[in-house]
Amino acid sequence: MPVELSAQEIWNDIQRIHDVSPLVHNITNYVVMNTTANALLAIGASPVMAHAQEEIADMVGIASALVINIGTLSRDWIVAMKRAMESAAEKAIPIIFDPVGAGATAFRTRTCHELLEQVRPTVIRGNASEIMALVDSTVQTKGVDSLIDIAPVKAAQSLAKRLSCVVVVSGESDLIADGRTCVYTHNGHSLMPKVTGLGCTASALMGAFSAVQSNPLLAAAHTMAVMGICGEIAAERASGPGSLQMHFIDSLYQLSEQQIVDHLKG
Amino acid sequence: MPVELSAQEIWNDIQRIHDVSPLVHNITNYVVMNTTANALLAIGASPVMAHAQEEIADMVGIASALVINIGTLSRDWIVAMKRAMESAAEKAIPIIFDPVGAGATAFRTRTCHELLEQVRPTVIRGNASEIMALVDSTVQTKGVDSLIDIAPVKAAQSLAKRLSCVVVVSGESDLIADGRTCVYTHNGHSLMPKVTGLGCTASALMGAFSAVQSNPLLAAAHTMAVMGICGEIAAERASGPGSLQMHFIDSLYQLSEQQIVDHLKG
Amino acid sequence: MPVELSAQEIWNDIQRIHDVSPLVHNITNYVVMNTTANALLAIGASPVMAHAQEEIADMVGIASALVINIGTLSRDWIVAMKRAMESAAEKAIPIIFDPVGAGATAFRTRTCHELLEQVRPTVIRGNASEIMALVDSTVQTKGVDSLIDIAPVKAAQSLAKRLSCVVVVSGESDLIADGRTCVYTHNGHSLMPKVTGLGCTASALMGAFSAVQSNPLLAAAHTMAVMGICGEIAAERASGPGSLQMHFIDSLYQLSEQQIVDHLKG
């Protein structure tokens, strides 16, 4: 039974983010640190980027959500990710997991399995290939395959059931599954994949939404809707991916309830 | 006795930066490396980012100022920071120290104390919570508290006296203290804290100003005035934090003497 | 005998990049990771940034070109660079080498020599000082000296002959040499050096062009022409280096055959 999204509930979450300004702790990749920090600030959250093993537990201790993104992985950072996920689980704050490039190399797929076996995340967000690779480690990612067909839906539900978490498959439409029910979001613009790290931005913002929205299926779906809506608004003003990135941040900052009502595609 | 700022002297410093193009060596955090390098280029300086222990001394050897920023700290980088500060002290070039997140974790506060005990910086720039944490290690940072009230002023003067350096407390107004006298700068815009790393940009630019202005109190105050003025000019043209960041760099590049005269708030 | 550039051939390469969307593996510096990934996406290529020794061989195994950039060098990353270059040589995909800051420290110059002795790159791209430092290790870089005079031409041809590769000396005009013949490109704008990492962007895009253009002299020359043309188009719309960076990405994305015809300077 698909869930219907409500513009009002999305707006409520955004207002709560503004009111609470949740501290979102990110262990993420070098490529997107700047842009994801700016996206979190624009939506009203407080970003922190820190990865030293000596401070991970303390930093998670003052955070309201944890975002783990394996984009530019290395051994030391994996140790930090493990400690952070353990600390977040102990403190019972939401954990968003972004398996960037899972399937592209055995090292990435193996690292994802290690991290996910140890601590259950709240949400896993990836493109179809990455999610497939987490379900079936024989899948070899070649570039980005973001078409949502029947296989990813089954893969997402299977992974969600196995790990008792929410799984988001990003693409032209986004699928949000919790093992039983699912939500689709249909906003977005074809220029968005031309900007590096907007998927990572989705994962980061999911940290902010999860901090204020206790239903992880809704937190994830609201994030994807907001990403898509802001992408559409930004694309109207953009002349290419450079200006899209800038307008996207401005759109996140300026987003109004009316814009959500006008743009939301159920 | 508060010091009055002079638009003419600020402009003189900027012209000297343009003439000399000082090489500013930054050991800074991953989040802001790109934006601070661009800010340094825009004001007319030459940025270098390097952290390998094997080359730190050589790189400081050709630099006119050193900027240490602990934003995304880790053990190896602390070693590099120590060596860089030692080399800078030997060479007697200005050292700007940005204690990002001091007080947020014990590791950060402890690292700041270690670095500052070893080598006296020329300027320490942080927000009120960070500066308070350096004075009283029992202070626990929770988010960003940038209100300048009586406590930070006392803290800044006490820290400045103890370390014989200049201490800058950034906020809505900025306080620049040297243990005896102090300067306030009142420029800036409320959108600026919505852009990640503008505080780090202030520290980086302070490296450029300190390279050409031998009075560190003035170098720091001129930097904060220029930050605020460029932020105001950028905010007039911006629709949000995304476009503010872009216009801010353009404003730094285009800044004229007349704009400083028109905008400077004493 | 200088080679003449053809707008038609440049356009053919761009169309092939769009058709093939070559995966370009970058081991590059922290400062430019975001902007170079965006440039590769804008031209139609697929960027990957990964440096873990555990996955280097696998990642190179699915890539169509490798870009090595030593901007923010450290020991672990050198190991990754070596493995990546070995894997790329085995797989016979193009290797672009960017010796950022060669000559500035002995560590950088030495590292370049180590890497270049081990594996022959397809193209080396640097400014005049960096290229000179690779030829004569007694050259000490002081800031950026990008004037093309007779010495760099000789240095470039000598280096190209010795390593049997193409050498690009970037500057106001760009020199592309293969040890026998050479090409000059004359496009570009004086605002471009005010944006951090546009040289690194040239090296990254060279990865994309080399993946589709089997003549490395032409691949390098076409890249430099496109960089310069997009810089000119962006500069017409820019108010400073902040907006130049944004318009540059948009220009890469929108670049048309007619624009190449109109702007190309032989």
Side-chain angles (χ1 to χ4, degrees):
Chain A
M1 190 185 68
V3 173
E4 281 279 313
L5 285 188
S6 145
Q8 179 62 55
E9 286 180 29
I10 295 173
W11 181 243
N12 287 348
D13 279 2
I14 290 174
Q15 284 187 303
R16 259 174 268 160
I17 294 172
H18 272 272
D19 292 347
V20 179
S21 192
L23 192 68
V24 179
H25 182 190
N26 303 269
I27 304 185
T28 189
N29 70 74
Y30 302 122
V31 184
V32 304
M33 283 194 186
N34 186 269
T35 55
T36 54
N38 275 327
L40 284 165
L41 283 170
I43 199 81
S46 293
V48 163
M49 269 74 181
H51 65 286
Q53 297 162 26
E54 292 89 340
E55 68 175 349
I56 280 295
D58 284 356
M59 202 60 101
V60 173
I62 57 171
S64 300
L66 173 68
V67 178
I68 298 289
N69 175 309
I70 67 160
T72 50
L73 205 56
S74 63
R75 211 174 306 163
D76 284 356
W77 286 62
I78 297 173
V79 179
M81 289 173 183
K82 281 187 184 170
R83 290 205 190 167
M85 288 175 77
E86 278 169 10
S87 300
E90 276 171 34
K91 207 197 157 189
I93 59 171
I95 301 169
I96 315 301
F97 186 81
D98 190 331
V100 180
T105 68
F107 176 59
R108 280 171 190 264
T109 312
R110 197 170 63 236
T111 300
C112 288
H113 285 303
E114 275 174 36
L115 293 169
L116 295 174
E117 268 162 35
Q118 194 195 18
V119 172
R120 187 186 68 81
T122 313
V123 185
I124 302 175
R125 193 215 59 81
N127 62 36
S129 304
E130 290 160 350
I131 298 301
M132 295 294 282
L134 296 187
V135 177
D136 176 359
S137 59
T138 62
V139 171
Q140 165 79 9
T141 305
K142 290 229 158 89
V144 176
D145 165 16
S146 57
L147 196 70
I148 290 194
D149 56 19
I150 190 66
V153 177
K154 275 191 182 163
Q157 290 292 22
S158 151
L159 187 64
K161 253 182 218 157
R162 178 151 64 83
L163 297 177
S164 304
C165 70
V166 167
V167 172
V168 179
V169 184
S170 292
E172 218 172 298
S173 291
D174 309 299
L175 161 70
I176 302 103
D178 69 358
R180 291 178 306 275
T181 184
C182 65
V183 191
Y184 289 90
T185 60
H186 303 287
N187 288 99
H189 192 276
S190 59
L191 201 53
M192 294 175 76
K194 288 290 178 188
V195 178
T196 194
L198 282 186
C200 305
T201 297
S203 298
L205 292 182
M206 228 166 257
F209 278 88
S210 299
V212 300
Q213 167 58 261
S214 58
N215 180 331
L217 190 77
L218 289 182
H222 292 175
T223 307
M224 295 317 294
V226 165
M227 285 293 303
I229 290 168
C230 289
E232 289 171 19
I233 295 168
E236 283 165 25
R237 301 171 191 166
S239 314
S243 44
L244 186 81
Q245 169 70 38
M246 182 188 77
H247 291 305
F248 179 80
I249 296 290
D250 284 358
S251 301
L252 270 179
Y253 179 75
Q254 294 175 327
L255 189 63
S256 70
E257 185 174 8
Q258 193 56 49
Q259 286 177 315
I260 301 174
V261 171
D262 292 347
H263 283 81
L264 184 65
K265 291 176 193 149
Chain B
M1 189 185 68
V3 174
E4 282 278 314
L5 286 187
S6 144
Q8 178 62 55
E9 285 181 29
I10 295 173
W11 182 244
N12 287 348
D13 279 3
I14 290 175
Q15 284 187 303
R16 259 174 269 159
I17 294 172
H18 272 273
D19 291 347
V20 179
S21 193
L23 191 68
V24 179
H25 181 190
N26 301 268
I27 305 185
T28 189
N29 70 73
Y30 302 122
V31 184
V32 305
M33 282 192 187
N34 186 269
T35 55
T36 53
N38 275 325
L40 282 165
L41 284 169
I43 200 80
S46 294
V48 163
M49 271 72 182
H51 64 286
Q53 296 161 28
E54 291 89 340
E55 68 176 347
I56 280 296
D58 285 355
M59 202 60 100
V60 172
I62 57 171
S64 300
L66 172 68
V67 178
I68 299 289
N69 175 309
I70 67 161
T72 50
L73 205 55
S74 64
R75 210 173 309 163
D76 284 355
W77 286 61
I78 296 173
V79 179
M81 289 172 184
K82 280 187 184 168
R83 289 205 191 166
M85 289 175 77
E86 278 169 10
S87 300
E90 275 171 34
K91 207 195 156 189
I93 59 171
I95 301 170
I96 315 301
F97 187 81
D98 190 331
V100 180
T105 68
F107 175 60
R108 280 171 191 265
T109 313
R110 197 171 60 237
T111 300
C112 288
H113 284 304
E114 274 175 36
L115 293 170
L116 295 174
E117 268 161 36
Q118 195 196 16
V119 172
R120 187 186 69 80
T122 313
V123 184
I124 302 176
R125 192 215 60 83
N127 62 38
S129 304
E130 290 160 351
I131 298 301
M132 294 294 282
L134 295 187
V135 176
D136 176 358
S137 60
T138 64
V139 171
Q140 166 78 11
T141 305
K142 289 228 158 88
V144 176
D145 166 15
S146 57
L147 196 70
I148 291 194
D149 55 18
I150 189 67
V153 176
K154 275 192 184 163
Q157 290 291 20
S158 151
L159 187 62
K161 253 181 220 158
R162 177 152 62 83
L163 297 177
S164 303
C165 70
V166 166
V167 172
V168 179
V169 184
S170 292
E172 219 171 297
S173 290
D174 309 299
L175 161 70
I176 301 102
D178 69 358
R180 291 177 306 276
T181 183
C182 64
V183 191
Y184 289 90
T185 60
H186 303 287
N187 287 97
H189 192 275
S190 59
L191 201 53
M192 293 176 76
K194 290 290 178 188
V195 178
T196 195
L198 282 187
C200 305
T201 297
S203 298
L205 292 183
M206 228 166 258
F209 278 87
S210 299
V212 300
Q213 168 57 261
S214 59
N215 180 331
L217 191 77
L218 289 183
H222 292 175
T223 307
M224 296 316 294
V226 164
M227 285 293 304
I229 289 168
C230 290
E232 289 172 19
I233 295 168
E236 283 165 24
R237 301 171 191 168
S239 313
S243 44
L244 185 81
Q245 169 70 41
M246 181 187 78
H247 291 305
F248 179 80
I249 295 290
D250 284 358
S251 301
L252 270 179
Y253 179 75
Q254 293 175 328
L255 188 63
S256 69
E257 185 175 8
Q258 193 56 50
Q259 285 177 315
I260 300 174
V261 170
D262 291 346
H263 282 82
L264 184 65
K265 292 177 193 149
Chain C
M1 188 185 71
V3 173
E4 282 278 314
L5 286 187
S6 143
Q8 178 62 55
E9 285 180 30
I10 294 174
W11 181 244
N12 287 348
D13 279 1
I14 290 175
Q15 284 187 303
R16 260 175 268 160
I17 293 173
H18 273 272
D19 293 347
V20 179
S21 192
L23 192 68
V24 179
H25 181 191
N26 301 269
I27 305 186
T28 187
N29 71 73
Y30 302 123
V31 184
V32 305
M33 283 193 187
N34 186 269
T35 54
T36 53
N38 275 326
L40 283 165
L41 283 170
I43 199 81
S46 294
V48 163
M49 269 75 180
H51 64 286
Q53 296 162 27
E54 292 89 342
E55 68 176 348
I56 279 296
D58 285 356
M59 202 60 101
V60 172
I62 57 172
S64 300
L66 172 68
V67 179
I68 299 289
N69 174 309
I70 67 161
T72 51
L73 205 56
S74 63
R75 210 173 308 162
D76 284 356
W77 286 61
I78 297 173
V79 179
M81 289 172 182
K82 280 186 184 168
R83 289 204 191 167
M85 289 175 77
E86 279 170 9
S87 299
E90 276 171 35
K91 207 195 157 191
I93 59 171
I95 302 170
I96 315 302
F97 186 80
D98 190 331
V100 179
T105 68
F107 176 60
R108 281 171 191 264
T109 311
R110 198 171 60 238
T111 299
C112 288
H113 285 302
E114 274 175 38
L115 293 170
L116 294 174
E117 268 162 34
Q118 194 194 17
V119 173
R120 186 186 68 82
T122 313
V123 185
I124 302 175
R125 192 215 60 82
N127 61 38
S129 304
E130 290 159 351
I131 298 302
M132 294 294 281
L134 295 187
V135 177
D136 176 359
S137 60
T138 62
V139 172
Q140 165 79 9
T141 304
K142 288 226 158 90
V144 176
D145 166 15
S146 56
L147 196 70
I148 291 194
D149 54 18
I150 190 65
V153 176
K154 276 192 184 163
Q157 290 291 22
S158 150
L159 187 62
K161 253 182 220 159
R162 178 151 62 85
L163 297 177
S164 304
C165 70
V166 166
V167 172
V168 179
V169 184
S170 292
E172 218 171 297
S173 290
D174 309 299
L175 161 70
I176 302 102
D178 68 358
R180 289 178 305 276
T181 183
C182 65
V183 190
Y184 289 91
T185 61
H186 302 287
N187 287 98
H189 191 276
S190 60
L191 201 52
M192 294 176 75
K194 288 291 177 187
V195 177
T196 194
L198 281 186
C200 305
T201 296
S203 298
L205 292 182
M206 230 166 256
F209 278 87
S210 299
V212 300
Q213 167 57 261
S214 59
N215 179 332
L217 190 78
L218 289 182
H222 292 175
T223 307
M224 296 316 294
V226 165
M227 285 293 304
I229 290 168
C230 289
E232 288 172 18
I233 295 168
E236 283 166 24
R237 301 170 189 167
S239 313
S243 45
L244 185 82
Q245 168 70 41
M246 181 187 78
H247 291 305
F248 179 80
I249 296 290
D250 284 358
S251 301
L252 269 179
Y253 179 75
Q254 294 174 327
L255 188 61
S256 68
E257 186 175 8
Q258 193 56 50
Q259 285 178 315
I260 301 173
V261 171
D262 291 346
H263 282 82
L264 183 64
K265 291 177 194 149

